[in-house]
Amino acid sequence: MKPHILALAACLAAGPVSCALAQDDWPSRPIRIVVAFPAGSPGDTATRIVADAVGQALNQALVVENRPGAGGNIGAEAVARSAPDGYTFLEAPDTVVTINPAIYRSLNFAPSDLMPVIALANFNQMLVCAPASGLRTLDQLDAAARKAPGSLSYASGGQGVPGHLAMELYLAQAGLNVLHVPYKGPSPAAQDVLAGQVPCGYLASPVVASYVAAGKLYGLAVSGSTRSTLAPDVPTMSQAGVAGYDATFREMLFAPKGTPKAIVRRMNEEVARALARPEVKRKLQANDLNPLPRTPGDTALQLQEDAAKWAAVIRKIHLRVD
């Protein structure tokens, strides 16, 4: 029998008081944070900014491990199958539970296998194009796509990731046909857009905003309801003429189902305290990440609302991923 199962059995045999005492000892060793996207992604950046502050408060190291691929599903599955003992958490965008179950034909985990702990930060996607493309505004992209349907392409960080959904939402509303080129994360996608390998990309704003500010990419629009703090001249999609468009995403912390509620609550509180620290907040905002922590219960409700919103979008655009 596995060690964590033996420990749980012993705890239950000793009674609820002993189990409570065991939870009071948490954490007694380093905590692993599995990030479901590559280094340099918004979630990876947010995790590493917050990890030091939380580790200091808990008097234990938070070890970050990147497990990218399949729109976050690889990392999510690994955490869903981990022991629910408070020593493994998942950092991933909300899409792993709000969108992926609706678009992937088969998943090796269910949304209920992951318990929401807290939202680390909200973030936008940004529609960008390489200077060589000649596309500087959303109207110009629209005109180019209508002139030669299917000949224009855009990069995203993968199938079903925020940038993919944000772009497909726009394309469906505008009635456009633009080829999707998925990558394993927004950073490698951004590098190919910078190199002109793909003319445009709908990518995480924290990854591309600095390139836009430096004039290396043209920013056409951002997906959310507010502009990027790093590229304030780039309009929102709504401001650029797409009425009613809003695609705000969240970087989340999850725990495996069955993780003691006391541990989930403690982690929520410590992360919220870290996010409130001025130096942490400044670092996040410098990466175009907006910290808005909530309780585990409020976080779960937000995820339910977002899942319903995106389910309607997915049905409308008939999006499925093998």
Side-chain angles (χ1 to χ4, degrees), residues 107-134:
L107 285 179
N108 293 322
F109 70 96
S112 58
D113 292 333
L114 297 167
M115 300 171 62
V117 178
I118 195 169
L120 296 180
N122 289 357
F123 68 103
N124 285 326
Q125 303 298 296
M126 187 180 293
L127 180 53
V128 296
C129 292
S133 72

Side-chain angles (χ1 to χ4, degrees), residues 41 43 94 100 139 291:
S41 63
D94 50 358
N100 290 10
D139 285 343

Side-chain angles (χ1 to χ4, degrees), residues 205-252:
S205 179
V207 173
V208 297
S210 61
Y211 298 124
V212 172
K216 295 180 178 180
L217 292 174
Y218 294 139
L220 280 60
V222 295
S223 66
S225 58
T226 59
R227 296 192 180 204
S228 164
T229 57
L230 298 185
D233 292 336
V234 179
T236 67
M237 290 288 286
S238 179
Q239 291 168 342
V242 187
Y245 184 105
D246 182 11
T248 301
F249 298 93
R250 296 163 186 83
E251 287 296 344
M252 302 285 307

